[in-house]
Amino acid sequence: MPGRVHLAIEHTLARVTLSHPGKFNAMSRAMWRELKAVFTDLQARGDDLRCVAVAGEGGHFCAGGDIAEYPDFRFDEDALRDFHENEVWGGLGAMLACDLPLVAQIEGNCMGAGVEIASCCDIRVAGSGARFGAPIARLGFPMAPREAQLVAREAGAATAREMLLEAAVLGAPEMQARGFLHAVRPDAEVAADVQARAQRIASLAPKAARLNKQTLRALGAGQPIDTVVATAYRYADHAEHREGIAAFLAKRQPVF
């Protein structure tokens, strides 16, 4: 089986689950295409959806790419370029373009593609036993440039060098100390922590969350601050803006 990317929606929360039984959820080509389709769908939905949790099935996040597929295409330059620029970056790019807050639930192995997918998430929570790395130099190939840029931006250039040049595998406490993880919890508590965070995010103003993500994306892409400011205040007459302030003044909980 080529693996699947499952989407489940319950009220205002969505859950995206990487599933590739027997392979620690390694990403197949079909899964990369599904990842793009799922996040393209999520981005197109309205404000009734507030937050997305991203997790792996069976106690692991994602062990990397499905190496069993690689002999079929990786030894041809055009096919290799198409795989990384269109299939892999298609999935990662769709995650990065999603205006919904993304919370990563990281357990077990988080290697290669797993680190890349986690890097697309806004909040990252890991179990104490989670392991992170991109030891692909052992397999004779580098990380694609766009993917390396993403990992270096989120995990830090020094960590990216250690993972790629030294094939280092790092534990969750170390990745938290380096700023990649927002929290480390006992393995048995990660799912509950992510659920609580997602519900807390879902209780806040969805328009504000989307606007914050758009601003952060623009700044991260190096857009001039004047360009970002030019459209930054169009929310002035939005109902959420009025409700939040009215609720505060009336000393009641806002209804978003």
Side-chain angles (χ1 to χ4, degrees), residues 99-166:
D99 292 333
L100 291 164
L102 311 183
V103 184
Q105 176 183 318
I106 306 171
E107 300 161 289
N109 285 312
C110 183
M111 302 289 172
V115 175
E116 295 168 10
I117 291 169
S119 293
C120 294
C121 295
D122 303 293
I123 305 294
R124 293 179 282 265
V125 182
S128 57
R131 301 164 67 247
F132 300 79
I136 50 179
R138 297 175 185 168
L139 302 175
F141 57 86
M143 184 173 280
R146 295 187 200 279
E147 298 155 50
Q149 181 185 49
L150 170 64
V151 172
R153 185 180 71 219
E154 296 299 317
T159 297
R161 288 190 180 94
E162 194 171 354
M163 287 182 174
L164 294 175
L165 303 180
E166 207 177 316

Side-chain angles (χ1 to χ4, degrees), residues 107 125 127 185-195:
E107 300 161 289
V125 182
R185 299 286 183 256
D187 291 332
E189 299 176 11
V190 179
D193 185 286
V194 168
Q195 181 69 11

Side-chain angles (χ1 to χ4, degrees), residues 1-78:
M1 295 294 291
R4 294 296 308 275
V5 177
H6 298 290
L7 171 62
I9 295 176
E10 184 175 356
H11 304 301
T12 59
L13 303 180
R15 186 173 183 84
V16 175
T17 304
L18 311 175
S19 174
H20 202 164
K23 295 195 174 185
F24 301 126
N25 307 321
M27 293 292 290
S28 65
R29 300 183 76 174
M31 289 173 72
W32 283 118
R33 292 190 289 270
E34 285 192 342
L35 190 72
K36 178 181 179 179
V38 163
F39 276 94
T40 299
D41 173 42
L42 289 171
Q43 173 66 358
R45 292 174 181 262
D47 288 344
D48 287 344
L49 198 58
R50 306 289 181 88
C51 186
V52 183
V54 182
E57 191 174 70
H60 292 276
F61 190 68
C62 172
D66 186 358
I67 308 300
E69 292 184 334
Y70 285 6
D72 295 338
F73 68 92
R74 283 193 69 97
F75 307 133
D76 176 84
E77 182 176 346
D78 289 339

